[in-house]
């Protein structure tokens, strides 16, 4: 039997789980773990050149190397771990085995932890791998299954109605109404496009979808599900993550009712989240051209290996011509943290996605009356700021990105664009038979995904990684210059103004003419 010298896997350090460890973990339990591998070739040049490859071309050029797979297989077999999935395109190997065998293979200790009634498996510290695999393995996910992210939607609050001396909520928008207000392309419905939606909980009911779109007088979109890592389409009630699922489907579907919608359900873990993203990107059956993600967490709460491997997946999407639209947070500049610092949300802070911020919108008929930064309170305001992890990308080099308000680090600035997100000027949603009004940057991601589907249909080609085009042509947005996302308790945050800012980016993307995409 070969003896492997072990070293820490770069970026695998994980903080101590919250809660108290229990003694009831069954070390004989079978679990599945995802091992991520390096690419055959470096991909950054292809992204800069704006290349768009087919799935077959991509796998051949940027997939995993067979030799690397064999080296990992030799190690895992020694530890009685069984390969159950090998996806060469996404460079993902999924192994199944007993907890005790994974503990020995990667020199970790796994325990159960209980927090607020939730039982999860956790670890602390680093994962250890054979030294000869240090340049091959880029991440290991699934040993720890604590919750990874939160949905970015908010329900219209009764307190707002009392402040405004109203007994009934103001009418909300629908996706097609905002498409008219924002002057999205007309004469297109997204036909021939597929919008992917990533969900880490909740579910949808077909009856709600049928009722909602029938009431709007729109074509009922075809919605299908893909289950990742035993994820489920499991609707329960309107106060659950069902609200996120239905918000995403109904907004994207109302903007582009002719597009197919595929919902990828996965467990709310770093492994489930990553596998759902790579599953959608490399789905050669449904072939989504745009992906909407409305789940995230402050950068500081992720491991380095998660940050790196998620961003790596988004780089793959760019070369496959897939646009990624992601909500950038609903708790202002602090992004839900309580450490007195500013934080941006991930995965929205990846340089290879379209980060979607929020505004507060009022209209006069079908025209914009006022539109400012969404900031209702410390817990109800658009995210945005400066990444503490990702450096300023090439397309932002000439943008007036500020230093981080906390660390003075100058990194990737977000958001890139914005649209209506204030729950008090929110969206009509039918969820589990209830008509509610939701907001949050969760709403902006599917709104933009619907727009991208229209643009793809209009231009007869995939927009793909839109950020370089956006930053080279900011005039395709309507600037939002008023408001801020400053957290009052710390007086830290960012203020909107002319041009790009860390509250609404370049503003509302609404042009029907995008250079190089739509003539």
């Amino acid at each position: 039997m070969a003896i492997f010298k072990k070293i820490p896997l770069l970026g695998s350090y994980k903080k101590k789980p919250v809660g108290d460890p229990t003694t009831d973990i069954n070390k004989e339990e079978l679990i599945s773990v995802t091992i991520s591998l390096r690419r055959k070739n470096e991909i950054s040049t292809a992204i800069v050149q704006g290349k768009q490859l087919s799935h077959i071309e991509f796998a051949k050029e940027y997939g995993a190397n067979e030799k690397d797979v064999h080296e990992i297989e030799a190690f895992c077999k020694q530890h009685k771990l069984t390969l159950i999935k090998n996806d060469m395109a996404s460079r993902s190997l999924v192994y199944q085995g007993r907890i005790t065998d994974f503990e020995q293979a990667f020199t970790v200790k796994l325990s159960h932890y209980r927090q607020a009634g939730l039982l999860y498996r956790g670890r602390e510290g680093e994962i250890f791998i054979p030294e000869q695999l240090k340049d091959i393995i880029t991440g290991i996910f699934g040993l720890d299954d604590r919750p990874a992210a939160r949905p970015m939607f908010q329900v219209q609050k009764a307190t707002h109605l009392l402040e405004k001396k109203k007994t009934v909520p103001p009418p909300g928008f629908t996706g097609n109404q905002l498409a008219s207000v924002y002057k999205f392309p007309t004469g297109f419905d997204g036909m021939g496009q597929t919008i992917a939606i990533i969900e880490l909980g909740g579910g949808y009911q077909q009856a709600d979808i049928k009722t909602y779109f029938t009431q709007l007088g729109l074509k009922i979109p075809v919605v299908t599900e893909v289950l990742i890592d035993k994820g489920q389409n499991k609707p329960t009630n309107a106060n659950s993550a069902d609200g996120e699922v239905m918000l995403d489907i109904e907004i994207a579907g109302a903007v582009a009712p002719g597009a197919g919608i595929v919902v990828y359900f996965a467990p709310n873990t770093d492994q489930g989240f990553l596998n759902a993203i790579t599953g959608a990107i490399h789905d050669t059956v449904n072939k989504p051209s745009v992906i909407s993600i409305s789940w995230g967490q402050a950068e500081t709460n992720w491991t380095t290996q998660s940050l790196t491997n998620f961003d790596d997946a988004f780089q793959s999407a760019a070369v496959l011509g897939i646009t990624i639209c992601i909500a950038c947070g609903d708790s202002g500049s602090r992004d839900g943290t309580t450490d007195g610092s500013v934080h941006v949300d991930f995965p929205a802070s990846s340089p290879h996605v379209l980060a979607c911020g929020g505004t507060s919108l009022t209209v006069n008929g079908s025209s914009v009356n006022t539109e400012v930064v969404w900031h209702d309170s410390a817990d109800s305001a658009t995210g945005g700021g400066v990444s503490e992890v990702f450096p300023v990308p090439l397309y932002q080099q000439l943008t007036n990105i500020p230093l981080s308000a906390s660390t003075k680090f100058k990194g990737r600035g977000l958001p890139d664009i914005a649209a209506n997100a204030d729950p008090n000027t929110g969206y009509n949603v039918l969820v589990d038979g209830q008509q509610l009004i939701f907001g949050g940057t969760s709403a902006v991601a599917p709104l933009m995904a619907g727009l991208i589907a229209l643009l793809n249909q209009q231009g007869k080609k995939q927009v793909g990684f839109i950020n370089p085009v956006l930053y080279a042509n900011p005039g395709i947005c309507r600037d939002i210059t008023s408001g801020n996302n400053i957290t009052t308790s710390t007086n830290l945050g960012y203020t909107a103004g002319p041009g790009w800012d860390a509250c609404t980016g370049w503003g509302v993307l609404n042009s029907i003419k995008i250079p190089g995409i739509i003539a």
Side-chain angles (χ1 to χ4, degrees):
M1 178 181 291
I3 298 176
F4 298 97
K5 178 184 176 182
K6 300 282 189 67
I7 62 172
L9 172 60
L10 187 67
S12 65
Y13 178 83
K14 207 166 182 77
K15 299 174 184 176
K16 181 179 180 180
V18 176
D20 298 318
T22 69
T23 58
D24 60 351
I25 191 166
N26 176 13
K27 296 299 179 78
E28 298 299 306
E29 178 187 351
L30 291 177
I31 62 173
S32 297
V33 169
T34 301
I35 301 177
S36 298
L37 286 65
R38 65 183 175 185
R39 299 184 189 279
K40 287 180 183 177
N41 298 301
E42 220 287 319
I43 200 171
S44 60
T45 300
I47 296 173
V48 172
Q49 292 175 344
K51 282 187 178 180
Q52 289 192 11
L53 302 181
S54 70
H55 285 278
I56 293 175
E57 292 170 333
F58 180 90
K60 183 178 179 180
E61 187 72 17
Y62 299 110
N65 189 307
E66 285 281 2
K67 183 180 177 182
D68 290 349
V69 173
H70 293 323
E71 288 201 41
I72 292 173
E73 179 69 354
F75 168 71
C76 288
K77 274 187 176 180
Q78 183 173 315
H79 287 278
K80 305 175 184 178
L81 305 177
T82 303
L83 181 66
I84 60 174
K85 183 179 180 182
N86 176 1
D87 190 327
M88 297 294 286
S90 67
R91 308 176 332 280
S92 300
L93 304 178
V94 180
Y95 280 90
Q96 186 179 74
R98 300 181 304 167
I99 287 178
T100 186
D101 291 328
F102 276 112
E103 286 183 319
Q104 292 175 15
F106 298 115
T107 319
V108 296
K109 180 181 179 182
L110 304 179
S111 301
H112 274 162
Y113 293 81
R114 192 177 300 277
Q115 180 190 13
L118 176 67
L119 184 69
Y120 64 86
R121 188 174 61 249
R123 67 175 179 87
E124 179 183 3
E126 296 168 309
I127 296 170
F128 289 80
I129 61 172
E131 186 174 28
Q132 63 266 39
L133 300 180
K134 69 181 178 67
D135 295 324
I136 296 175
I137 295 177
T138 61
I140 296 177
F141 304 92
L143 295 169
D144 186 305
D145 67 356
R146 74 185 81 178
R150 67 186 191 279
M152 302 296 174
F153 79 102
Q154 295 193 2
V155 182
Q156 189 177 78
K157 296 178 176 63
T159 52
H160 171 77
L161 303 180
L162 293 175
E163 290 168 0
K164 302 298 181 182
K165 298 182 179 179
K166 293 182 179 181
T167 57
V168 295
F173 295 101
T174 58
N176 57 315
Q177 287 175 328
L178 277 183
S180 176
V181 171
Y182 285 150
K183 296 180 173 56
F184 288 179
T186 57
F188 304 95
D189 65 358
M191 182 66 68
Q193 303 300 312
T194 298
I195 299 171
I197 297 174
I198 306 297
E199 301 292 0
L200 306 180
Y204 66 84
Q205 299 186 43
Q206 192 62 44
D208 281 343
I209 294 172
K210 181 178 180 180
T211 298
Y212 184 82
F213 288 96
T214 299
Q215 289 175 344
L216 294 184
L218 295 174
K219 177 181 178 181
I220 300 171
V222 177
V223 181
T224 57
E225 63 188 51
V226 173
L227 306 182
I228 305 289
D229 296 349
K230 299 181 181 179
Q232 300 179 64
N233 174 16
K234 191 176 181 180
T236 54
N237 62 79
N239 296 317
S240 70
D242 293 1
E244 181 60 67
V245 177
M246 295 308 293
L247 177 71
D248 294 339
I249 292 173
E250 290 172 357
I251 291 177
V255 174
I261 295 177
V262 182
V263 186
Y264 296 79
F265 287 101
N268 186 7
T269 64
D270 55 4
Q271 179 191 31
F273 201 173
L274 179 60
N275 286 351
I277 290 169
T278 58
I281 291 171
H282 298 282
D283 186 344
T284 57
V285 175
N286 297 294
K287 296 181 179 178
S289 56
V290 56
I291 299 175
S292 176
I293 301 175
S294 293
W295 296 71
Q297 191 69 265
E299 272 185 343
T300 188
N301 293 328
W302 295 89
T303 61
T304 301
Q305 68 168 0
S306 289
L307 295 163
T308 301
N309 281 274
F310 277 60
D311 179 60
D312 188 71
F314 299 139
Q315 293 179 49
S316 297
V319 177
L320 285 165
I322 301 170
T323 310
I324 312 287
C325 305
I326 306 186
C328 76
D330 294 351
S331 301
S333 61
R334 68 186 183 90
D335 198 36
T337 62
T338 56
D339 61 2
S341 297
V342 295
H343 295 278
V344 293
D345 204 79
F346 182 82
S349 65
S350 161
H352 299 96
V353 308
L354 185 69
C356 302
T359 67
S360 181
L361 170 72
T362 63
V363 299
N364 182 7
S366 60
S367 299
V368 174
N369 183 22
T370 64
E371 191 158 19
V372 299
V373 175
W374 165 40
H375 189 168
D376 197 41
S377 69
D379 297 314
S380 183
T382 185
V386 179
S387 173
E388 304 282 355
V389 175
F390 300 101
V392 178
L394 183 62
Y395 60 81
Q396 285 190 329
Q397 291 293 329
L398 300 179
T399 307
N400 188 28
I401 307 294
L403 300 177
S404 165
S406 289
T407 66
K408 306 307 178 186
F409 177 76
K410 189 169 185 177
R412 187 272 206 261
L414 64 155
D416 300 303
I417 51 85
N420 183 50
D422 187 344
N424 301 315
T425 62
Y427 296 73
N428 285 318
V429 177
L430 180 64
V431 51
D432 296 318
Q434 293 190 47
Q435 195 77 48
L436 299 170
I437 296 180
F438 288 167
T441 54
S442 271
V444 186
L447 186 76
M448 291 299 103
L451 171 60
I452 296 297
L454 300 183
L455 295 175
N456 287 344
Q457 181 188 15
Q458 183 184 18
K460 298 180 181 179
K461 61 181 178 180
Q462 292 182 193
V463 169
F465 183 38
I466 194 173
N467 294 30
V469 174
L470 170 63
Y471 280 80
N473 302 276
I476 63 178
C477 291
R478 177 171 50 78
D479 202 3
I480 306 298
T481 59
S482 179
N484 66 75
N485 66 0
I486 295 171
T487 300
T488 305
S489 61
T490 62
N491 201 34
L492 294 175
Y494 306 90
T495 300
W500 186 93
D501 57 65
C503 298
T504 58
W506 289 113
V508 179
L509 176 64
N510 62 359
S511 176
I512 61 172
K513 293 185 179 181
I514 299 180
I517 299 172
I518 306 297

